[in-house]
Amino acid sequence: MEKTELATRFDPKDFEERLYDSWEKAGYFTPEADRERPSFSIVIPPPNVTGRLHIGHALVNTLQDILVRWKRMSGFNTLWVPGTDHAGIATQMVVERDLAARGIDRRELGREAFEQEIWKWKEEHGDQIVHQLKRLGVSCDWSRIRFTLDEGLSRAVRRVFVQLFQDDLIYRGLSIVNWCPRCETAISDVEVEYRETNGALYQIRYPSSDGSASLVVATTRPETMLGDTALAVHPDDDRYRHLIGRTARVPLAGREIPIVADPILVDREFGTGVVKVTPSHDKNDYDAGLRNDLPQLKVIDERGRMTAAVPEAFRGMERFEARTAVVRALEEGGSLVESKPYLHSVGHHEKCDTVVEPMVSTQWFVRIEPLAGPAIDAVRKGEIALIPQSWEATYFNWMENIHDWCISRQLWWGHRIPAWYCDACGHLHVAEDAPDGCDSCGSAELRQETDVLDTWFSSSLWPFSTMGWPEKTPDYETFYPTTALVTGWDILFFWVARMIMMGKRFTGQNPFEQVFLHGLVRDEKGQKMSKSKGNVIDPLEVADEFGADAVRFTLAIFAAGRDIPLARNRMQGYSAFATKLWNASRFAMMHVDTTIEDARPIVREDLRPVERWILSRLNSTTQQVNRSLSAFRFDDAANAIYQFFWHEFCDWYIEMAKPVLLERAGDKKTLAQARRVLLEVLDRSLRLLHPFMPFITEEIWLKLGGVEPSIMVASYPVAEEVLEDPGGERLVVMIQQIVTAVRNVRAERGYSPKDRFKLHLQVRDLRNARGIKGSEYLLIELARLDGLEINAGIPDNAHRDQIGGIEIGIELPKKEISAEESARFLKQIEQVEKEIEATRARLADEKFVSKAPAHIVDGARAREAELRQKLEKLRQNLTASPA
RNA sequence: GCGGGGUUAGCUCAGCGGUAGAGCAUCUGCCUUACACGCAGAGGGCCGGGGGUUCGAAUCCCUCACCCCGCACCA
C-alpha cells in the first residue's frame, strides 16, 4: 500500500463518517455463524425505540464496542446484536402526546387505529437512536438488528408465557398492585420510585359505636378513611385491649367497623398505637385485611377519582381534592385532632412521576420464587460473575426477598397476553395462537385478554430471543449463551436478574458469563444529569466538538465501575491526546520511508538499548491493556496506553530517536533501525488503541500502509516474552534520571537552555558506566550539553548529585547561590536526613532484620547507603559554591 | 431497620501489606523544524478520627464521625 502524508491540521469530521461507512460496507461488523472459531457475543441493552442518545447510552455502548473490537481483533468470531425496545408505557406516552397535539384522544381512535399510529411513528422516528449510535463508531451487526415486537421475538414471548402458565408459574388473580392513575395501568414494584415528600400527618378521632370511648388514629392519607373497614390495635396494648372486638364508627362515612387486634400491622410505639385499616388502598392494610377477614371497600377508581362507595359530597372528586375536602369536613365535624407537616416517602411512577395508588385489582403475575432459586445459584456458584463483585450482595439481598412479578399492563402498546376467555362457559384458554373455539363448551365466541405484558417481560428473553429461540438457529447454536453483558446497575433488577431467571428456565443455560455493571454518568459535582438542572452533556454535541474518539476515550478512562463525574473539559483534555497521536504520527511519517506492509522484520539483537527499551515498554503496556480489558478495567487499560504513548514514546523515545533520525548521530544502520522501530511502535500502538479510538487510529493506520484493508480486522497486539528487556529498561531509566537532574538544576538555578555548560560524570558502578558508553550522545542531546566526560574527576565547585550508583557533577558558570537557593538546598538536606534516620532506625530494629523478607532488608540497606552519598553531595553543593 | 459504597494533592479519582500516584488545576522557564491542544521544571498530601493485628498499614481487623446509593418501613 502507498504511504501518504497526514494533513497538518486534524479534524475528526474529515474522516469519521467516511470510515464508518467503509466498515459497514465491508461487512466487518457481520460475523458468520461459524462454530469452528471461538466466539464472543454480546447483546446490546436495547434502548427505547423512542430514545434519543444520551450520555448513558454513549457510555454503555462505548464500553461494549471496546470489548467487541478488542475481541474481534484478537481472533474471536465476534457478534454484537443491536436492537430497540418497544418500551410500552414510554412509547405510548410519546404517541399520545403527539396525537394530543393534533387534538386526538387515543380513546376516540380505538385500540387498533392507535396501534397503527404507533407503528407509523416507529417507522418514521424509531431508528433515530440507531443513527446516533453509529456516530459513536459502535460496531454492532446492523444486519441482525432486532425489535422486541418483531414477529420472531413475539413468538418467543408467547412461547414463554404459555409454558410458564402451564407450569403454574403464571397466574391471574385479585391482589393489591401499584396503580398509576395517569397511565391507567398496573405497574410492578420495581417501577415505583419512592421519594421523600412533604405532606401532613393528620390525627383523626373515631368514636366507639356506643359512644363510650374514642380512638385517635394518625394518617397521611385522610381520604382513604372513607374506605376503612377496621381499626387495628396491638393485642398486648393495655390502652386498647378492652376495645378489641367492639366496633367504632367512621367519621363522615358513618359506617360501623370492627376494632381488631393485629400484632403484625400495629407497632405500639408508633403514633397513637391505633391504625386505620383500608384494605383496598394500602399493601399492609390489604395483608391485614386477609388476616382478619375484613371486607375490601374500593374508594378510589382507576383514574384516581373517588368512587360511588363514598358519601355523596366526595363522589367523583380527584383524590387529592378529596383529601382537602375530607380534612375540611373532619375539622368542621370536630373529628380532626391535629394536623402537622410531615416528611415521608411516597411512591411515584418512575415513568410519569404520578403518585402511585395501591389498588386491589385483577392482574397476571409470575410466581417468582421457583425462578429466582436457580438464578441465585448461578451467581453464588460463580457461573455468572457480577463485576464489580460488590453488586453480588445487592443481587442476593433482592433476589432472596423477591415478590411475585405483576406482568399485566392495561395498555395498548405491547405484547398482548395470549389468553382467551369463553364468555359462554367461563373457560380460560392460554395458547401461543388464537384457539378456534372453546375447548370446554365448543363456543366459537372467544374474547382475547386486552392486557399487554410488561415491557421487561420481552426484555428478559433478549439474549436468546434475538438469536432466534425457540428455533435452534445457527446463530443460537453459535452465539448463545452470550459471553458478557454490559449495562448500568440501575437495571440490575429490572433486567439482568430477570434475564438470568428466564435464561436458566428456558434455555437451561446462563444467558451470559460476566456482567459488567458500569457506573452512572453524573455531572462534575456528582449530581444526576437532568434537563431541568441544565447540567446534561449531549454526547452528539461533544462528539461534534471534540470528535467521537475523544468522547469514547474520556468515558473509558473514567469507567472504573463507580459513578462517573463528567465534565466537558475532561473531553477537551482527552481530545488533546488524539491530537498528540496525530502529530506523533505525522512526525513518524516524515522520517519513515517504508510502510507497515513492506517493513522488514526487526532483528532484535541488532538494536540499540533505547530501541530495545521502547519495545520492552510497549510490550509491558500491551500486557497491561489485555489484562485490564479481561477484567473490565477500561480505566486502567486506557490509562496504560495514554501513559505509554504520550509520556514514554513521545516524550522520551521520539526525542531519543531524533539525533539519529535527523542524522546528527549514528550510521546508516542505526538510522534504518530507528526508522523501523518508530514504525513498529506506532503500528502496535495504533492497534492497541483502536478499540478505544477507532476513527483516528484507522485514519492514520491506513496511511501507514497496513497489511490488512482495515485496522479493525488487523490483529490485536499480545505481549511477547522476547520483547522484554530489563537491562535496556534499567539503562534508559538511568539516562532519564541523569537528564532530569541536569534539567532540574538548569531550571532551578536559572540557566536557560541556551546556555551550554559542561557535565562530568563520575562512575561508581562500572556496569552502568559501560552501558552509558555509546549512549553519550543521548545525554548530550537531551540535556543539551556541549560535552561530557566519563570517569573524570569532578571539579570542587561543580554542582553534585547522586543517582542510583552514579555520581554526577555539573560544572556551572560562576554564579552565586541566592538565599532562596540555599534555603532550598537546606530543605532538601533536611528531608534526606529525615529519611536516613527513618531507614537507619528500621535497620537497627532486630525484629525487622530477622522477620522481613531479605530483599526488603537489602533494599533498605542499599537505600541508606545511597541516601548518605546523596546527603554528602547536597552538602558539598552548599559549601563549595563559588561565593 | 437491612445491604452496599465512599472519606488519599486545590478538583476528580487510582492505588488496597513493603520508600505516597495520575489527569486536570497552580507556579516558573521555553515558539527546541511532530505537536503552544506543545516542551521542560517546580510546588502541593500526619492517605477522615481513634484503637488493634504486623518487623512494617493509605492498604487487613474493630470502632467512631461525616457523605452517597439501593431495599424495606414510614398509621
Side-chain angles (χ1 to χ4, degrees), chain A residues 695-711:
Chain A
F695 294 112
I696 189 172
T697 50
E698 173 81 321
E699 180 70 2
I700 297 168
W701 197 79
L702 288 177
K703 292 198 163 134
L704 282 175
V707 184
E708 292 82 2
S710 163
I711 192 170

Side-chain angles (χ1 to χ4, degrees), chain A residues 386-595:
Chain A
L386 302 187
I387 301 155
Q389 204 186 351
S390 53
W391 286 109
E392 291 184 359
T394 308
Y395 175 83
F396 293 135
N397 193 31
W398 188 73
M399 291 291 272
E400 283 159 7
N401 297 293
I402 198 164
H403 299 294
D404 282 359
W405 175 16
C406 176
I407 50 170
S408 45
R409 297 290 179 274
Q410 288 64 50
L411 301 173
W412 288 352
W413 178 242
H415 299 95
R416 197 154 163 184
I417 290 179
W420 287 263
Y421 305 99
C422 174
D423 287 331
C425 73
H427 188 68
L428 172 65
H429 300 73
V430 171
E432 284 185 48
D433 299 296
D436 295 330
C438 179
D439 294 343
S440 180
C441 72
S443 165
E445 297 281 299
L446 293 180
R447 185 169 49 81
Q448 188 177 359
E449 169 65 64
T450 54
D451 291 354
V452 299
L453 288 166
D454 180 6
T455 287
W456 295 100
F457 191 90
S458 54
S459 311
S460 68
L461 318 179
W462 187 249
F464 49 96
S465 64
T466 53
M467 302 289 183
W469 187 91
E471 305 307 321
K472 289 265 194 287
T473 61
D475 272 4
Y476 181 81
E477 300 281 0
T478 310
F479 297 112
Y480 188 82
T482 65
T483 319
L485 181 81
V486 179
T487 190
W489 51 256
D490 52 329
I491 53 175
L492 178 60
F493 306 140
F494 277 101
W495 194 43
V496 180
R498 290 166 177 171
M499 279 192 289
I500 297 173
M501 293 191 268
M502 293 298 202
K504 271 256 143 171
R505 181 87 192 173
F506 288 96
T507 68
Q509 289 176 290
N510 298 312
F512 27 70
E513 294 161 23
Q514 297 169 304
V515 181
F516 178 67
L517 295 156
H518 67 247
L520 304 188
V521 181
R522 299 172 182 278
D523 73 4
E524 68 263 62
K525 292 180 209 121
Q527 300 196 301
K528 256 187 180 162
M529 285 192 180
S530 72
K531 277 182 199 152
S532 55
K533 280 186 206 146
N535 60 353
V536 291
I537 292 179
D538 177 355
L540 298 169
E541 192 189 299
V542 286
D544 277 342
E545 192 172 350
F546 306 118
D549 288 327
V551 175
R552 291 172 58 116
F553 197 81
T554 308
L555 291 170
I557 214 160
F558 279 98
R562 234 189 288 293
D563 286 358
I564 299 166
L566 196 66
R568 290 176 69 88
N569 65 7
R570 306 294 177 132
M571 306 262 178
Q572 196 172 8
Y574 290 108
S575 74
F577 181 55
T579 307
K580 189 75 182 174
L581 184 70
W582 186 266
N583 284 316
S585 303
R586 275 180 55 221
F587 174 82
M589 287 189 199
M590 288 165 63
H591 292 96
V592 171
D593 52 3
T594 58
T595 63

Side-chain angles (χ1 to χ4, degrees), chain A residues 781-832:
Chain A
E781 286 277 339
L782 297 178
R784 293 179 186 277
L785 311 169
D786 64 2
L788 85 148
E789 291 151 29
I790 293 182
N791 286 348
I794 294 175
D796 286 346
N797 62 350
H799 179 96
R800 288 155 193 267
D801 209 340
Q802 178 81 27
I803 295 154
I806 294 184
E807 178 181 12
I808 64 171
I810 304 166
E811 202 179 333
L812 301 172
K814 291 233 181 249
K815 190 179 177 187
E816 285 184 27
I817 296 175
S818 68
E820 197 184 318
E821 279 168 315
S822 81
R824 193 161 48 232
F825 284 148
L826 285 168
K827 192 176 164 192
Q828 282 173 2
I829 286 169
E830 200 183 322
Q831 279 172 352
V832 171

